[in-house]
Amino acid sequence: MFSKKHHSPFSIHTFSGYGVVAGCGLFLLSLIPYFEWLYGFSALCYWSVFIVSWKRLNQRNKSQIRLLIGAGGIALIYHLYLAESIDLSSLFEGNLGIVAMLTGVSLLALLPDTAKQSPPVLGIKGALYTWLSVHLLGAVINMSATFFVGDKLQRPTGKMTMPQYSMLVRALTSAGLWSPFFASVAVALSIAPDAEFHNLAMIGIPMAICSCLLSLWELKRRDHLTSFSGFPIAVNSLFFPVMLAFLVIVFHYFIMTQTPILSIVTLLSPLSVVIYLTLKTGGNHTRSRIQDHIHIRLPNMANEIALFLSAGFLSKAISLALMSTFGNEWSLFTSFGFSEALICFIGICGISLLGLHPIVGISLMSSFVPAGSADNTLLAFVSLSSWAVGTAISPLSGINLSISGKYGVDNFQLARSNWRYGGMMAVVVAFGMLVLVLF
């Protein structure tokens, strides 16, 4: 884990924070006509942060990154052996938009806690309200929502039960099926650029509802439902997330229609937080909060940044190797339908069970199944669903490790508690794929 102490003004830790800010700022500026050349400098900033932060990365991520860079390096050498030239800059720009979006949405963690402490709600209402609170808040502020609700659940007795831990994980990961503020959606739209967000949301939201219903059914089947102590949903805490989601939709469909939705999220998330905090707490307090965020939170994003950049490098390198061998039109499958999509989903979830992040499997899929040779909506759906299910069942996923670290629960036990749920969700995913293929 990274230290959360303030460092000297010229420390590597502080440099990392400002490097992340510069990378995000340059990415946004590159969206302006005639400033596209700044895109490469954005990548340079993020890779610089990756390099200088190497010693501070956790061991689990280092192992994954070595694997990704090593495999990408072998693929690149193979490509250079067969090809005469290569665009080096493109190798290091993979997943850049996703990394910039993660930077932008990280400021959402600065939003104040406006919910008042209320008595816990028992039974089916408690379970449903807990799921809705984490899901709706998490759809915008991501993992912070699990700690926000988890701390409230823990307060009466000082601990939580395994059903409560499982509900936190499932409610958050299922938000990745549709929320434009999740890295899962950003990844899906980057590997399948012709997929439309509203089409993904139309199938992702019903699947998220299925996630909730399956979780409630499992609680009842195991006789945990009547004793479940839940978090009462706080309507006032949903105001900002709903407003921000509305703004993103308006900008995407009516104002910045040619701009990818993940870029709009990257722009509006920090901008709206700064405006909201300034109006709510004043300029000086907002400036202090942002400075702390740059000095503490952003340097601690090095693990996420390094993982996504490495996965992007692997994807680009393998794509080049495959193109130099089989030509530009090569794909692993002659067609991409139900069976092929299900094979990819199972493969990515299998990789997740082995301890690798779903982005590794998704990056490999994007190399073997180019967007130009597949139904982009189906391809994006495979990415979304494998991310949502894979992170819930993997003992080494970010959400399971974070909850394990904060609340002291065994991460392998937590993952096992979601395996039955993962199997049931796989059936739901298969049905969703069938619907996409047939209709």
Side-chain angles (χ1 to χ4, degrees):
M1 297 296 293
F2 291 139
S3 169
K4 292 192 175 183
K5 296 178 181 179
H6 284 280
H7 293 248
S8 65
F10 302 104
S11 69
I12 290 178
H13 192 87
T14 305
F15 168 81
S16 298
Y18 285 103
V20 173
V21 172
C24 185
L26 289 170
F27 172 82
L28 290 173
L29 288 174
S30 72
L31 300 175
I32 302 172
Y34 306 111
F35 285 85
E36 296 88 351
W37 53 275
L38 290 174
Y39 195 79
F41 285 96
S42 173
L44 179 62
C45 288
Y46 279 120
W47 276 93
S48 298
V49 171
F50 172 12
I51 292 168
V52 301
S53 302
W54 176 256
K55 289 183 179 180
R56 300 185 297 113
L57 301 183
N58 65 49
Q59 196 57 47
R60 177 178 65 93
N61 267 20
K62 280 185 177 180
S63 299
Q64 293 192 70
I65 290 165
R66 288 190 185 102
L67 175 64
L68 296 173
I69 297 292
I74 293 171
L76 183 58
I77 292 171
Y78 176 75
H79 168 75
L80 290 172
Y81 174 74
L82 296 176
E84 295 182 359
S85 62
I86 185 174
D87 180 7
L88 284 174
S89 63
S90 66
L91 274 174
F92 300 99
E93 293 174 356
N95 290 340
L96 184 60
I98 300 165
V99 173
M101 192 207 75
L102 289 172
T103 305
V105 301
S106 71
L107 267 77
L108 294 169
L110 298 180
L111 293 174
D113 178 2
T114 57
K116 297 178 181 178
Q117 182 66 21
S118 303
V121 182
L122 299 177
I124 187 170
K125 279 189 176 180
L128 180 61
Y129 287 175
T130 299
W131 191 91
L132 285 172
S133 297
V134 175
H135 188 81
L136 296 177
L137 284 172
V140 175
I141 64 174
N142 302 149
M143 204 177 296
S144 300
T146 60
F147 303 140
F148 169 75
V149 175
D151 289 348
K152 298 286 195 302
L153 291 176
Q154 190 184 43
R155 194 167 295 170
T157 62
K159 60 181 180 179
M160 283 188 282
T161 63
M162 187 56 67
Q164 287 176 316
Y165 289 125
S166 296
M167 189 63 79
L168 292 178
V169 172
R170 298 174 188 185
L172 181 73
T173 54
S174 58
L177 288 164
W178 62 271
S179 171
F181 302 96
F182 253 71
S184 57
V185 173
V187 170
L189 294 176
S190 66
I191 69 166
D194 291 335
E196 292 288 345
F197 168 72
H198 63 272
N199 289 333
L200 294 175
M202 283 175 63
I203 193 166
I205 291 174
M207 284 191 58
I209 294 172
C210 287
S211 164
C212 178
L213 295 176
L214 287 173
S215 297
L216 294 175
W217 174 82
E218 190 178 2
L219 284 175
K220 184 178 180 180
R221 186 176 179 276
R222 297 189 174 186
D223 295 324
H224 294 313
L225 189 58
T226 54
S227 61
F228 192 97
S229 178
F231 173 75
I233 193 166
V235 177
N236 61 327
S237 64
L238 299 178
F239 168 75
F240 186 89
V242 171
M243 179 199 71
L244 182 54
F246 174 75
L247 282 175
V248 169
I249 298 301
V250 169
F251 270 73
H252 180 57
Y253 287 105
F254 301 104
I255 299 175
M256 301 173 69
T257 56
Q258 301 302 314
T259 305
I261 194 166
L262 76 159
S263 299
I264 294 173
V265 170
T266 307
L267 172 66
L268 291 183
S269 296
L271 191 61
S272 57
V273 168
V274 170
I275 293 173
Y276 179 82
L277 289 179
T278 301
L279 294 175
K280 194 88 173 175
T281 62
N284 290 334
H285 184 264
T286 300
R287 192 180 304 109
S288 175
R289 292 290 306 279
I290 292 174
Q291 188 173 29
D292 286 343
H293 188 74
I294 294 172
H295 289 171
I296 300 172
R297 173 69 181 100
L298 292 187
N300 291 348
M301 286 184 65
N303 278 302
E304 301 163 74
I305 290 170
L307 183 61
F308 279 96
L309 290 178
S310 301
F313 172 79
L314 173 67
S315 179
K316 294 277 189 180
I318 290 180
S319 296
L320 287 171
L322 291 173
M323 282 191 294
S324 60
T325 305
F326 301 106
N328 293 338
E329 303 301 321
W330 183 86
S331 176
L332 179 63
F333 305 112
T334 54
S335 62
F336 192 74
F338 173 78
S339 300
E340 294 79 8
L342 189 59
I343 289 171
C344 289
F345 169 79
I346 293 171
I348 296 169
C349 288
I351 286 175
S352 300
L353 279 174
L354 293 175
L356 295 175
H357 195 283
I359 186 63
V360 178
I362 293 169
S363 295
L364 288 172
M365 180 183 70
S366 69
S367 299
F368 293 123
V369 188
S373 64
D375 177 346
N376 273 219
T377 300
L378 182 60
L379 188 62
F381 179 71
V382 173
S383 175
L384 286 179
S385 55
S386 57
W387 185 297
V389 176
T391 51
I393 64 176
S394 171
L396 299 179
S397 68
I399 176 63
N400 283 333
L401 284 174
S402 296
I403 288 181
S404 171
K406 183 170 176 64
Y407 298 112
V409 61
D410 182 80
N411 56 301
F412 282 88
Q413 186 182 356
L414 177 57
R416 283 196 299 272
S417 72
N418 290 318
W419 284 356
R420 182 190 295 268
Y421 160 81
M424 292 187 294
M425 280 301 294
V427 176
V428 175
V429 168
F431 179 76
M433 291 175 180
L434 197 59
V435 169
L436 283 175
V437 170
L438 294 179
F439 301 100

